[in-house]
Amino acid sequence: MTDTEGALTDENRAYWPKSSGPFVALVDASSKLESKIVDTWIEDATADVKAPVVVFGIPPSRRQRRFASVDPAIGERLTQQDDPLCIPLRVVWLAKKRDGFRQVALSDLLKFGDPRDPNFVRQKLILAQHPDRCRVIVGEPARKSDLEERWSDPAGRGPADGTTLGEFVALQAWLALERTERHIRGLRYKVPKFLREDLFWSRPFQAGVERLSRSEGKPASRMRKRTGRYLKEMAAQHSPYVIDLVNVLTTKVINAAHHDVDYSEADLRRIYQLAENDPLIFLPSHKSNFDHLVLQHVLYENELPLNHTAGGVNMNFFLIGPLLRRSGIFFIRRAFKDNEAYKFVLHQYLDYLLEKRFALEWYIEGGRSRSGKLREPMMGLLAYVADSYQRGITNDVVLIPVSINYDQIIEVGSYTDEQRGAHKEKESFLWAVRIIGSLRRRNGRIYVRFGEPLLLSDRLDRDEDLSTPEGRLALPKIAFEVATRINDVTPITAISLVTLALLSEERHGLTVTEVDARIAPFMRFIDDRELPITDDLPFRSHSEIEAALEALMLSGVVSRSEGLTNAIYGVAQGKHLAAAYYRNTIIHFFVNAGITELALGVCAARESRTTRDAVIDRALELRDLLKFEFFFSPSTAFAQEISEEIDRSTVADRETGDIAGLAQDALPPKSPIVLRPFLEAYFVIASTLAVHGSEKLSEGDLAKRALRMGEQLAAHGEISNREAVSTALFATGIKLAASKGLLDGSEEDRLRFRSDLSEILDTLTTIRAWDSIWVDRPTLCSTSGVLSR
């Protein structure tokens, strides 16, 4: 209950506290047999105790608590003038030992239910046949005076008015027993079991209910019922039985669909050292519906507490929803902007989890990435957590960026369909069955990487006003930094490199030798910058490259044509978006280099001299053009990064010192491969706007019409990358056009936008032909007026 000397427990035995009496024993028993076991234990343990011992039963925490009430005799005993030590006791039932460890097998769960929560009949059998699986535990004891002070403290998270001292003491006994039992069962079962008693009926919650009832002019009883319904709809309801069941099934699913999960146990342990004082918030990238199960599997495998993971209410469907809720998902509605009662409950729930140092998890992108790139961060839950921190609910919050990457994912086909305009399939039980039924082949490995933790206190002052213009930038900056740290640790995979090579050739397929040649300059770039790679890189032979190509063939992304002397590999018909998905998972590593090249080409066309400052200025203009697509550093830092890229990848004219061209190690150019698909998608948007004159277009109408325009331009050869025809890329192009006022702009402005993008694409075509250290001015300067508007 509190830190008090005397409650000693270990693997084999619990001890009666050594503190002075009198004593009040509070027994949490789910059956008469458990009561008898505890009574016998008390009798033996107190044989030499002189002080009086009074034993009370409290409502069982495992069974039928809803219909039980606290014995009024407990409160009567606590009204006496002495200061007894209240001692919680409970019987715990343990799993069988397997390979030296007590662990639950799938057969245990499916045959008889949770062996740690047996019914009366199974209790008798276990006690008779396996007495070592039955144990009495003693929770942390507390003096009545301490409990009474916390019960009556108006400033703390004590019970609301109307809760008796006896009810409060019973709750504290349950909580103390949960903490003690956790040391026996393991940290993975650290779960909040008493939300109704500990949160809903707390003073802060009920005071908020009273405020809401007054502001909305409704009876408090009605508002209490409404907020209670919201809490029940929202909250995770962890069950050790379901946690074990889901993770056994998750292991089987991972083994069926992937080779293994690759992560660092040492990194994980270092992270959890930070959790001793402050709550952790895991912020993973979101590429697959498996992401939650994968991270949960990693935590479970290391016997760490499972996260409370935010999930959309769309996942709360028949059978699957209850399993997810009981394994740690809490469900949030998609929209609740004007529902003050719902927002209040979410605030209170997050406050409670942070205060109790339960780890949280949500996807910083909001939804799954359909393009492979990290999406723009969402501020919603981060704003709630920042508010809790500023109100002093927790001393600090530790944000953990997490990259979850896959060699291949099973959803890539549905992502491709959605990018071509198909509607997202609604989640349902049958949808889940189809997903599981599709796990018939291995999709390679799963890679989990943990970025450098970020302390909220280092980025946000408690008294900072987030409503001011400067304050409104605080959370986006934090989210941006989290996203950047996720990108920084995302490993480059063999699959991503191979797809990058195949997509670099627009007209024909490649032999394995040619794929190797396309990959080589990127591997030099990766080695030079010490970028993160997976264990199967660098390629040591053509057979390893061929293995990656064959893996993509099995999933239908790549096709192979057998020739007389060579096999020719290419992106399969209609699979360019799927191949681009894997390429885009690593594209961020090459963006600055691509912008430097393109800025050099643009500068040569525009300036009389290609000076460092001129190239940096053009790079900043390109940064602004692509600002909705990639995560860039602030302008000053970005300019420095471009300057360093110039030093790495260019050579200077011996006479003038101006930039003369790309260095040999930087050839062939990367910008046509890295940037062209995104700029072509923007060109499709610009062309769609241009053909509609000054007609005002909604974002939805523009996206639909852009799909048809994209197919037209691709068929006519005006764009060369089929993967540019994508609703995911159009979305950022539309956002760019909206920021320029072009959705309801003039025909002249729209034509100028299209012209600017056309000239940039022409520059990329010219850059593709650069193949020597020294580039002649006529070759370098084949366009004019780019980005000069």
Side-chain angles (χ1 to χ4, degrees):
M1 294 182 181
T2 59
D3 292 329
T4 303
E5 182 185 1
L8 304 175
T9 60
D10 58 30
E11 174 67 14
N12 301 307
R13 185 181 176 189
Y15 297 87
W16 189 261
K18 296 179 180 178
S19 302
S20 59
F23 302 101
V24 172
L26 302 167
V27 180
D28 174 6
S30 66
S31 67
K32 291 181 179 179
L33 178 60
E34 288 189 353
S35 295
K36 183 179 179 181
I37 292 170
V38 175
D39 287 344
T40 302
W41 184 91
I42 292 175
E43 186 177 341
D44 292 342
T46 61
D48 298 327
V49 174
K50 304 301 183 182
V53 178
V54 182
V55 180
F56 294 104
I58 59 176
S61 59
R62 290 202 303 271
R63 295 173 183 271
Q64 298 180 340
R65 185 173 78 251
R66 183 186 302 176
F67 307 105
S69 58
V70 175
D71 186 350
I74 297 177
E76 293 173 6
R77 171 63 186 86
L78 296 178
T79 59
Q80 297 179 19
Q81 296 302 310
D82 57 357
D83 192 14
L85 187 68
C86 298
I87 306 168
L89 297 110
R90 175 192 291 172
V91 172
V92 296
W93 303 92
L94 306 176
K96 293 180 182 177
K97 274 193 174 182
R98 291 180 171 89
D99 300 324
F101 298 95
R102 294 197 180 275
Q103 50 191 330
V104 179
L106 181 61
S107 57
D108 295 332
L109 299 171
L110 297 181
K111 287 179 181 177
F112 306 110
D114 192 348
R116 296 155 305 191
D117 186 16
N119 58 29
F120 175 71
V121 174
R122 289 183 64 202
Q123 287 177 1
K124 293 190 71 172
L125 290 174
I126 292 172
L127 190 61
Q129 298 173 7
H130 306 284
D132 62 302
R133 291 176 54 193
C134 174
R135 187 173 304 164
V136 174
I137 63 169
V138 178
E140 262 184 271
R143 291 288 176 187
K144 181 197 77 171
S145 55
D146 295 333
L147 293 165
E148 197 169 31
E149 182 178 355
R150 289 156 56 197
W151 171 66
S152 59
D153 180 9
R157 188 178 281 279
D161 294 341
T163 302
T164 67
L165 177 59
E167 290 169 338
F168 178 72
V169 169
L171 171 61
Q172 299 308 306
W174 287 330
L175 295 172
L177 288 166
E178 287 299 311
R179 290 191 291 269
T180 301
E181 187 170 343
R182 196 182 304 146
H183 289 295
I184 298 173
R185 288 192 177 183
L187 285 176
R188 61 167 65 125
Y189 304 109
K190 179 185 177 182
V191 298
K193 289 180 61 176
F194 308 102
L195 275 178
R196 184 165 184 80
E197 296 85 354
D198 202 23
L199 171 58
F200 182 77
W201 287 109
S202 67
R203 283 195 187 90
F205 197 103
Q206 290 304 314
V209 169
E210 294 288 343
R211 287 194 301 272
L212 283 168
S213 68
R214 289 193 298 270
S215 66
E216 297 192 10
K218 295 178 181 178
S221 58
R222 186 173 172 184
M223 185 60 68
R224 188 170 292 114
K225 185 176 181 180
R226 180 180 169 190
T227 54
R229 186 173 68 250
Y230 288 156
L231 182 60
K232 184 177 180 180
E233 171 193 312
M234 182 186 303
Q237 298 171 0
H238 292 75
S239 159
Y241 170 79
V242 175
I243 287 172
D244 287 332
L245 178 62
V246 167
N247 280 279
V248 169
L249 296 175
T250 297
T251 300
K252 292 184 179 297
V253 166
I254 289 174
N255 291 338
H258 297 273
H259 292 300
D260 61 5
V261 181
D262 180 82
Y263 65 93
S264 167
E265 291 184 19
D267 286 349
L268 201 56
R269 296 295 172 185
R270 280 194 291 270
I271 287 169
Y272 269 87
Q273 289 176 359
L274 301 173
E276 293 180 2
N277 300 312
D278 301 303
L280 303 178
I281 297 181
F282 289 82
L283 299 170
S285 57
H286 198 14
K287 293 192 167 55
S288 169
N289 279 312
F290 281 96
D291 292 340
H292 167 67
L293 297 177
V294 168
L295 186 52
Q296 187 179 63
H297 169 79
V298 168
L299 298 175
Y300 184 91
E301 199 171 54
N302 288 272
E303 297 189 359
L304 292 168
L306 304 189
N307 298 336
H308 283 69
T309 305
V313 74
N314 57 303
M315 294 299 293
N316 188 19
F317 53 82
F318 177 67
L319 287 184
I320 301 300
L323 282 176
L324 293 176
R325 186 187 297 277
R326 286 166 175 76
S327 64
I329 295 281
F330 65 96
F331 294 107
I332 301 178
R333 296 180 181 182
R334 293 291 187 187
F336 49 88
K337 182 178 180 181
D338 298 322
N339 191 335
E340 294 301 321
Y342 190 91
K343 288 192 282 188
F344 164 75
V345 173
L346 180 57
H347 263 298
Q348 286 290 313
Y349 184 55
L350 293 176
D351 280 355
Y352 179 80
L353 296 177
L354 291 168
E355 182 182 346
K356 303 296 183 182
R357 296 205 303 275
F358 288 107
L360 292 172
E361 174 189 336
W362 70 80
Y363 302 107
I364 192 75
E365 303 167 82
R368 288 171 290 159
S369 169
R370 267 56 175 185
S371 68
K373 292 192 304 91
L374 204 61
R375 295 173 58 180
E376 182 181 359
M378 305 293 284
M379 299 299 117
L381 285 179
L382 185 60
Y384 277 78
V385 168
D387 178 69
S388 297
Y389 164 71
Q390 289 192 310
R391 286 185 288 111
I393 296 299
T394 179
N395 290 329
D396 208 340
V397 177
V398 185
L399 305 179
I400 310 295
V402 185
S403 167
I404 304 178
N405 203 15
Y406 301 75
D407 278 333
Q408 297 190 69
I409 61 170
I410 62 173
E411 297 104 324
V412 72
S414 65
Y415 292 170
T416 297
D417 292 340
E418 289 178 39
Q419 289 184 81
R420 289 177 177 149
H423 291 293
K424 174 177 173 286
E425 185 178 4
K426 186 177 180 181
E427 292 84 357
S428 66
F429 177 69
L430 292 178
W431 166 85
V433 170
R434 282 196 298 274
I435 291 287
I436 295 172
S438 67
L439 305 177
R440 297 173 183 171
R441 62 175 175 79
R442 294 286 182 91
N443 290 284
R445 306 181 78 187
I446 304 172
Y447 308 94
V448 179
R449 299 291 186 268
F450 301 100
E452 186 67 25
L454 189 154
L455 294 178
L456 196 57
S457 61
D458 288 344
R459 299 294 185 275
L460 185 66
D461 293 333
R462 286 199 189 274
D463 57 355
E464 185 171 352
D465 185 354
L466 300 185
S467 64
T468 64
E470 184 178 353
R472 282 194 290 270
L473 296 176
L475 295 185
K477 286 180 179 179
I478 292 170
F480 170 89
E481 188 164 355
V482 169
T484 300
R485 293 186 186 195
I486 291 173
N487 272 340
D488 287 346
V489 296
T490 298
I492 296 168
T493 67
I495 294 292
S496 59
L497 273 182
V498 165
T499 52
L500 185 149
L502 292 177
L503 289 167
S504 71
E505 180 48 64
E506 304 156 3
R507 296 161 295 178
H508 54 72
L510 302 172
T511 66
V512 173
T513 300
E514 289 170 331
V515 171
D516 188 16
R518 299 293 175 103
I519 289 173
F522 286 95
M523 280 308 309
R524 290 197 299 270
F525 183 98
I526 291 165
D527 290 343
D528 184 47
R529 289 156 175 80
E530 298 181 342
L531 300 179
I533 58 175
T534 54
D535 292 342
D536 50 2
L537 290 176
F539 292 119
R540 290 176 290 273
S541 66
H542 282 183
S543 62
E544 292 183 356
I545 296 176
E546 195 167 5
L549 290 165
E550 294 292 332
L552 287 163
M553 279 186 58
L554 288 174
S555 59
V557 176
V558 166
S559 63
R560 180 180 62 195
S561 299
E562 295 290 351
L564 180 62
T565 59
N566 282 302
I568 307 299
Y569 294 89
V571 178
Q573 183 69 28
K575 297 296 183 180
H576 285 75
L577 286 171
Y581 182 93
Y582 299 121
R583 176 201 63 193
N584 289 346
T585 61
I586 63 168
I587 204 76
H588 55 277
F589 288 118
F590 311 110
V591 168
N592 277 9
I595 285 178
T596 302
E597 292 175 3
L598 182 53
L600 178 58
V602 170
C603 183
R606 185 185 203 186
E607 310 288 346
S608 58
R609 297 177 58 189
T610 51
T611 64
R612 178 183 296 267
D613 287 345
V615 172
I616 290 174
D617 287 344
R618 302 296 78 74
L620 286 166
E621 292 174 359
L622 289 167
R623 172 187 179 275
D624 188 61
L625 183 69
L626 294 162
K627 63 186 175 184
F628 297 115
E629 201 71 61
F630 302 106
F631 295 98
F632 293 114
S633 300
S635 298
T636 302
F638 176 78
Q640 180 60 36
E641 291 166 3
I642 296 301
S643 181
E644 293 170 1
E645 196 62 48
I646 290 171
D647 291 337
R648 286 175 181 268
S649 60
T650 67
V651 291
D653 186 293
R654 294 188 182 94
E655 296 180 1
T656 65
D658 293 352
I659 299 170
L662 295 181
Q664 186 67 49
D665 286 347
L667 293 172
K670 297 170 184 63
S671 53
I673 301 171
V674 173
L675 301 180
R676 190 176 192 99
F678 304 97
L679 294 170
E680 285 191 340
Y682 295 180
F683 180 73
V684 172
I685 295 297
S687 298
T688 308
L689 286 168
V691 299
H692 286 86
S694 58
E695 177 186 349
K696 184 175 181 178
L697 295 174
S698 69
E699 293 187 9
D701 284 343
L702 179 55
K704 290 177 182 177
R705 298 181 192 189
L707 282 170
R708 296 171 62 190
M709 176 60 77
E711 292 296 338
Q712 173 187 319
L713 296 178
H716 197 243
E718 293 181 68
I719 60 173
S720 56
N721 290 269
R722 287 279 178 179
E723 67 270 24
V725 185
S726 156
T727 57
L729 301 192
F730 289 166
T732 47
I734 291 171
K735 188 175 292 187
L736 175 66
S739 72
K740 293 177 176 290
L742 296 175
L743 298 192
D744 54 358
S746 68
E747 181 178 8
E748 181 183 359
D749 289 339
R750 291 176 174 183
L751 288 170
R752 185 182 298 115
F753 183 46
R754 183 185 187 279
S755 176
D756 285 350
L757 286 165
S758 178
E759 292 183 38
I760 292 174
L761 293 175
D762 288 344
T763 303
L764 285 171
T765 300
T766 300
I767 291 173
R768 191 179 181 92
W770 292 355
D771 58 0
S772 64
I773 299 179
W774 301 102
V775 183
D776 295 334
R777 293 295 304 180
T779 304
L780 196 58
C781 312
S782 63
T783 65
S784 62
V786 181
L787 292 178
S788 60
R789 310 291 185 253

